[in-house]
């Protein structure tokens, strides 16, 4: 099958009216030797889609199709591609890297200084990227991954960004039996962090701004639950966690400093939160001194990490809690509006691509 000349997509045309997504077509990056072209069959709706679409991170270009939890079937390949036509593959938040910096050379291209995002990315030739709310996508096959046969496309889609973002900090911190892990913020990524931390054998505490998600957190496997609207929660539960992953979409209501106080001596907090660009973190240095604690950030995962995460998901049959919704202009709007209200348990996955892009 030869490659497409144009790709149909749904996206933002005006950041100030971002909740009016409309269809458009775009001309993809030429099919390079290492590339694959993928016909999309499912795409998760990540919290980052909302930040990118509403201008939280800036307003680089329109039209913009977001979506970087993509699963589909390979329909065209360059001669050096890792895949063949017909393979089922997934793509996450990164579609290429510079291949030349120290981070790329050390097999950590997720930290590449020239990282190219699956959307809101810019190739060295100036070509901009478009994501998975589209009929197809073309990416460097190094950033596409074979999907294990026992994982369905809708269940695996959220793992391609949300799953790896939750998983990488857990393995960096050597989480396993005997580790007490806190997950602060129980949304798309937070709920996947609970699933992975349990699969790795940890004792898990879900931390949320109120008690509305207590029942579901228990169903996901959480052993304990803390509501940050509970008076004096940080003194009541102090010294209860060795490691915390902070997964909220903002720091504004996340009680970051009080949640840090839940850490044991030498404990660590890693945040994956990618808040609106104007937000700042405020911490008293003495709080870190008194507990010899540390705080850090983490960005998605490397291709090696993603392959390992998919293996762990396959072996443990990890399935996120999802709500599927057929792709259309109207349904993207509905899903985004509900995401903003926190009205999804816990990840939307766009489906019905064949029906819409027929
Ligand atoms: N670092 C990376 O590589 C990476 C990769 C992907 C995504 N991200 C970022 O990770 C964040 C979470 O993504 P997601 O897909 O999980 O989003 P999500 O499904 O919308 O979940 C976000 C959760 O954050 C909490 N929250 C909402 N508003 C908040 C506020 N004002 N202050 C504090 N907490 C708040 C809520 O949890 P509770 O109701 O339980 O409090 C909510 O469920 C986003 O910022 C996204 O851009 C980072
Ligand atoms: Zn994402
Ligand atoms: Zn690089």
């Amino acid at each position: 099958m030869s490659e497409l000349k144009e790709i149909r997509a749904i996206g933002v045309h005006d950041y100030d009216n971002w909740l009016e997504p409309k269809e458009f077509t775009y001309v993809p990056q030429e099919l390079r030797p290492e590339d694959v072209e993928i016909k999309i069959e499912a795409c998760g709706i990540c919290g980052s889609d909302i930040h990118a679409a509403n201008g939280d991170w800036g307003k680089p270009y329109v039209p913009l199709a977001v979506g970087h939890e993509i699963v589909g079937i390979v329909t065209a390949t360059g001669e050096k591609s890792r895949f063949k036509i017909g393979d089922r593959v997934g793509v996450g938040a990164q579609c290429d890297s510079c291949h030349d910096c120290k981070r790329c050379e050390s097999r950590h291209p997720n930290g590449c200084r020239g990282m190219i995002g699956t959307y809101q990315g810019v190739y060295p030739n100036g070509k901009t990227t478009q994501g998975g709310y589209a009929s197809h996508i073309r990416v460097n096959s190094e950033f596409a991954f074979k999907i294990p046969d026992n994982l369905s496309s809708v269940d695996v889609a959220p793992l391609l960004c949300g799953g790896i973002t939750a998983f990488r900090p857990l393995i960096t911190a050597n989480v396993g039996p005997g580790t007490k892990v806190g997950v602060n913020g129980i949304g798309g990524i937070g709920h996947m962090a609970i699933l992975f931390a349990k699969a790795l054998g940890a004792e898990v505490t879900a931390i949320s701004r109120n008690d509305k998600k207590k029942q579901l957190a228990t169903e996901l496997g959480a052993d304990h639950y803390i509501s940050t609207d509970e008076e004096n929660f940080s003194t009541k539960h102090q010294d209860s966690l060795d490691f915390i992953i902070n997964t909220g979409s903002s720091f504004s209501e996340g009680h970051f400093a009080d949640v840090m106080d839940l850490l044991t001596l030498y404990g660590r907090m890693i945040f994956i939160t990618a808040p609106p660009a104007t937000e700042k973190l405020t911490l008293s240095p003495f709080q870190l001194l008194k507990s010899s604690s540390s705080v850090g950030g983490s960005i998605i995962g490397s291709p090696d990490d993603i392959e390992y995460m998919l293996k762990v998901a396959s072996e443990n049959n990890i399935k996120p809690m999802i709500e599927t919704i057929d792709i259309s202009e109207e349904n993207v709007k509905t899903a985004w509006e509900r995401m903003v209200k926190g009205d999804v348990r816990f990840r939307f996955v766009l489906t019905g691509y064949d029906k819409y892009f027929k």
Side-chain angles (χ1 to χ4, degrees):
M1 208 179 289
S2 66
E3 69 258 31
L4 290 172
K5 301 255 181 311
E6 280 195 332
I7 291 178
R8 286 172 66 196
I10 293 177
V12 174
H13 289 245
D14 170 6
Y15 286 102
D16 296 327
N17 289 302
W18 70 283
L19 283 168
E20 300 299 333
K22 294 274 174 285
E23 186 176 330
F24 65 99
T25 56
Y26 74 95
V27 177
Q29 160 89 347
E30 63 170 308
L31 190 81
R32 301 163 301 174
E34 60 277 15
D35 284 355
V36 276
E37 185 174 284
I38 300 160
K39 181 173 184 292
I40 300 174
E41 53 184 42
C43 182
I45 300 189
C46 178
S48 297
D49 295 3
I50 304 296
H51 292 302
N54 73 10
D56 270 351
W57 297 338
K59 301 178 177 178
Y61 57 86
V62 285
L64 170 72
V66 294
H68 60 202
E69 294 183 338
I70 299 165
V71 181
I73 305 295
V74 172
T75 48
T77 57
E79 64 270 21
K80 289 191 190 149
S81 161
R82 300 204 301 145
F83 299 104
K84 59 180 190 321
I85 290 173
D87 285 347
R88 189 171 64 125
V89 298
V91 175
Q94 180 171 21
C95 68
D96 212 341
S97 72
C98 81
H99 296 94
D100 200 29
C101 70
K102 286 188 178 145
R103 295 165 182 202
C104 284
E105 277 166 14
S106 65
R107 296 186 72 81
H108 295 285
N110 51 315
C112 172
R113 299 213 182 253
M115 114 91 91
I116 300 175
T118 299
Y119 56 77
Q120 282 192 344
V122 186
Y123 285 104
N125 65 6
K127 183 93 193 154
T128 52
T129 61
Q130 301 287 354
Y133 298 16
S135 67
H136 293 72
I137 191 163
R138 194 175 284 171
V139 302
N140 184 328
S141 62
E142 192 188 324
F143 296 91
F145 307 95
K146 179 102 180 64
I147 300 296
D149 289 340
N150 68 327
L151 300 176
S152 75
S153 296
V154 289
D155 288 330
V156 80
L159 303 185
L160 273 309
C161 174
I164 186 57
T165 301
F167 185 70
R168 173 72 223 192
L170 298 174
I171 53 169
T172 309
N174 281 323
V175 160
T179 325
K180 294 182 192 321
V181 172
V183 178
N184 187 30
I186 310 302
I189 297 181
H191 99 283
M192 289 185 256
I194 296 176
L195 295 176
F196 277 112
K198 286 305 295 180
L200 293 170
E203 182 178 331
V204 178
T205 299
I207 308 165
S208 185
R209 290 167 299 161
N210 51 54
D211 64 6
K212 287 186 194 150
K213 299 175 186 169
K214 189 169 183 176
Q215 175 63 31
L216 284 175
T218 308
E219 283 171 29
L220 290 164
D223 303 284
H224 315 282
Y225 190 94
I226 296 175
S227 300
T228 55
D229 63 357
E230 185 191 352
E231 209 175 322
N232 301 326
F233 79 89
S234 69
T235 36
K236 268 188 210 158
H237 302 281
Q238 68 188 11
D239 285 325
S240 60
L241 300 170
D242 308 313
F243 175 74
I244 299 172
I245 174 168
N246 192 81
T247 71
S249 49
S250 160
F251 292 108
S252 64
E253 297 171 4
H255 303 275
F256 195 78
D258 291 335
V259 169
M260 287 272 312
D261 253 352
L262 301 171
L263 286 173
T264 50
L265 191 67
Y266 300 112
R268 286 171 75 185
M269 152 83 91
I270 295 291
F271 66 86
I272 58 85
T273 303
T278 48
E279 278 192 27
K280 297 273 180 290
L281 256 182
T282 311
L283 275 178
S284 158
F286 282 97
Q287 182 179 5
L288 302 184
L289 288 179
K290 280 190 297 182
S291 294
S292 295
S293 52
S294 52
V295 61
S298 181
I299 181 119
I300 46 172
S302 68
D304 293 340
D305 296 332
I306 294 174
E307 269 163 8
Y308 179 40
M309 179 272 303
L310 288 171
K311 182 169 177 281
V312 171
S314 169
E315 285 169 1
N316 292 276
N317 204 21
I318 287 189
K319 287 185 183 168
M321 218 180 259
I322 59 165
E323 179 175 336
T324 57
I325 183 164
D326 280 351
I327 189 165
S328 68
E329 293 173 348
E330 203 181 316
N331 283 355
V332 167
K333 176 184 170 75
T334 303
W336 284 354
E337 285 173 342
R338 285 185 48 197
M339 283 277 288
V340 171
K341 285 192 254 164
D343 175 24
V344 56
R345 298 289 182 268
F346 280 99
R347 198 54 130 201
F348 279 116
V349 178
L350 292 166
T351 50
Y353 279 71
D354 271 345
K355 259 187 288 171
Y356 184 84
F357 294 113
K358 58 182 180 290

